[in-house]
């Protein structure tokens, strides 16, 4: 598939730079049914065929408990990719919106989903969980922490969770969101729209819009922020010999998107 080559380029470079996979790893891709996690699933399924470090792959969806959510399109995709698919039912939506009536639910929701995903992965014999956070997510998270918490920080490319005995990896760390959107549209990924009432009305969405506006005025702002995170070695980020600034690599491969 021609469209996946670009996605694999970003993914493999991050896996290599941070040595995210060890021989024999069983990796659970956390599939929320959005474009990011589905793109990651496709990339990891393809890499499984030829990546020099052998690994197993499964997919896990944490069912939040919203009524009417249909994951059957995701099941069909997993069947096509030959990836075992597991749906874990929870009552997270009920707890957050009905019981606790959270006004700002995102932080607690994310924490509960992560806990459910990590525990499920451990029970299924996995050694790692792969999440679909991409380049723009990293920049937005860094800025959110700076603006709203007054601290310098971000999620880590690789995190070891000693409590459950697994590691969390983010193979799409170098992949700009526009490439994710392009791939998802090009191959018609079966994205399932979120049923969360807070979807699209969050501090993250506000930060995304702010960075987009500033980037229009100051071209390359996102890449400079990401580069600063690498040079400052924020939470495990590093400037690797194979990735001397994601901006250069993005320019190098832009023609592929234009041709497609």
């Amino acid at each position: 598939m021609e469209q996946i080559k670009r996605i694999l380029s970003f993914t493999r470079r991050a896996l290599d730079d941070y040595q995210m996979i060890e021989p024999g790893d069983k990796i659970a891709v956390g599939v929320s049914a959005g474009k990011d996690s589905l793109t990651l699933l496709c990339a990891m399924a393809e890499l499984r065929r030829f990546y020099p470090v052998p690994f197993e792959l499964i997919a896990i969806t944490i069912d939040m408990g919203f009524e009417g959510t249909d994951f059957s399109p995701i099941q069909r995709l997993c069947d096509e990719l030959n990836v075992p698919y597991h749906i874990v039912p929870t009552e997270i939506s009920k707890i957050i919106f009905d019981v606790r009536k959270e006004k700002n639910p995102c932080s607690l929701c994310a924490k509960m989903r992560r806990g459910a995903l990590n525990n499920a992965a451990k029970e299924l014999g996995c050694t790692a969980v792969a999440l679909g956070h991409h380049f723009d997510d990293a920049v937005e998270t860094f800025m959110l922490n700076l603006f709203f918490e007054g601290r310098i920080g971000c999620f880590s490319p690789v995190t070891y969770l000693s409590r459950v005995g697994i590691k969390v990896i983010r193979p799409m760390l170098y992949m700009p969101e526009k490439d994710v959107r392009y791939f998802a549209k090009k191959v018609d990924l079966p994205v399932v729209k979120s049923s969360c009432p807070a979807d699209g009305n969050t501090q993250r969405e506000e930060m995304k819009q702010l960075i987009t506006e500033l980037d229009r005025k100051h071209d390359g702002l996102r890449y400079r922020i990401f580069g600063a995170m690498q040079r400052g070695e924020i939470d495990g980020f590093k400037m690797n010999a194979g990735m001397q600034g994601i901006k250069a690599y993005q320019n190098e491969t832009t023609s592929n998107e234009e041709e497609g």
Side-chain angles (χ1 to χ4, degrees):
M1 186 193 315
E2 184 66 28
Q3 292 85 356
I4 204 170
K5 289 182 179 179
R6 183 174 173 84
I7 299 302
L8 293 178
S9 296
F10 286 116
T11 305
R12 181 165 184 173
R13 189 167 290 207
L15 291 173
D16 290 347
D17 281 354
Y18 289 95
Q19 298 179 325
M20 293 184 180
I21 301 179
E22 300 173 41
D25 267 346
K26 183 177 181 180
I27 302 172
V29 175
V31 176
S32 68
K35 69 182 188 319
D36 302 337
S37 61
L38 293 178
T39 296
L40 175 61
L41 176 63
C42 291
M44 296 298 289
E46 183 69 13
L47 281 168
R48 178 184 52 180
R49 297 192 308 107
F50 63 84
Y51 194 64
V53 182
F55 64 92
E56 295 180 55
L57 193 66
I58 69 170
I60 300 177
T61 290
I62 302 302
D63 184 350
M64 301 275 290
F66 292 112
E67 291 185 13
T69 305
D70 180 15
F71 294 112
S72 60
I74 313 302
Q75 179 68 69
R76 288 193 291 272
L77 175 63
C78 288
D79 290 343
E80 292 173 10
L81 297 172
N82 194 27
V83 175
Y85 183 45
H86 304 269
I87 301 174
V88 179
T90 73
E91 295 188 342
I92 292 176
S93 63
K94 181 179 179 180
I95 293 170
I96 290 177
F97 292 105
D98 298 337
V99 177
R100 296 177 61 104
K101 302 184 187 303
E102 291 283 332
K103 293 182 179 179
N104 299 298
C106 297
S107 178
L108 177 60
C109 177
K111 184 176 181 180
M112 294 180 71
R113 282 188 291 115
R114 284 196 303 268
L117 175 60
N118 293 336
N119 288 335
K122 185 65 176 179
E123 290 174 4
L124 290 166
C126 295
T127 55
V129 169
L131 301 179
H133 294 127
H134 48 63
F135 166 80
D136 293 78
D137 285 329
V139 172
E140 290 160 12
T141 299
F142 176 80
M143 296 300 288
L144 281 166
N145 288 334
L146 182 63
F147 274 49
F148 295 104
E149 297 184 24
R151 66 182 181 89
I152 304 295
C154 187
F155 51 70
S156 299
V158 179
T159 304
Y160 292 92
L161 304 177
S162 56
R163 184 182 65 82
V164 289
I166 62 175
K167 63 184 174 183
V168 176
I169 62 176
R170 293 176 167 89
M172 298 207 308
L173 189 66
Y174 292 153
M175 195 183 308
E177 186 175 16
K178 67 179 182 179
D179 289 280
V180 178
R181 287 196 303 267
Y182 177 78
F183 176 77
K185 181 179 180 180
K186 199 73 175 177
V187 303
D188 194 24
L189 289 179
V191 174
V192 178
K193 191 179 186 314
S194 173
S195 301
C196 177
D199 186 45
N201 186 29
T202 63
Q203 287 182 340
R204 178 170 292 276
E205 184 61 30
E206 182 182 350
M207 180 58 67
K208 181 189 293 289
Q209 293 176 10
L210 175 61
I211 294 174
T212 297
E213 181 180 345
L214 290 173
D215 197 56
R216 288 196 190 104
K217 297 179 180 178
H218 309 283
D219 184 47
L221 176 66
R222 284 185 176 89
Y223 299 101
R224 290 192 291 276
I225 294 173
F226 193 89
M229 293 165 63
Q230 290 178 306
R231 289 187 291 275
E233 299 184 348
I234 304 298
D235 291 325
F237 281 71
K238 59 184 179 180
M239 184 67 79
N240 297 282
M243 193 62 181
Q244 292 296 330
I246 187 174
K247 177 66 171 176
Y249 184 63
Q250 172 69 0
N251 289 339
E252 173 186 312
T253 56
T254 296
S255 59
N256 291 340
E257 178 178 335
E258 292 172 349
E259 291 171 2

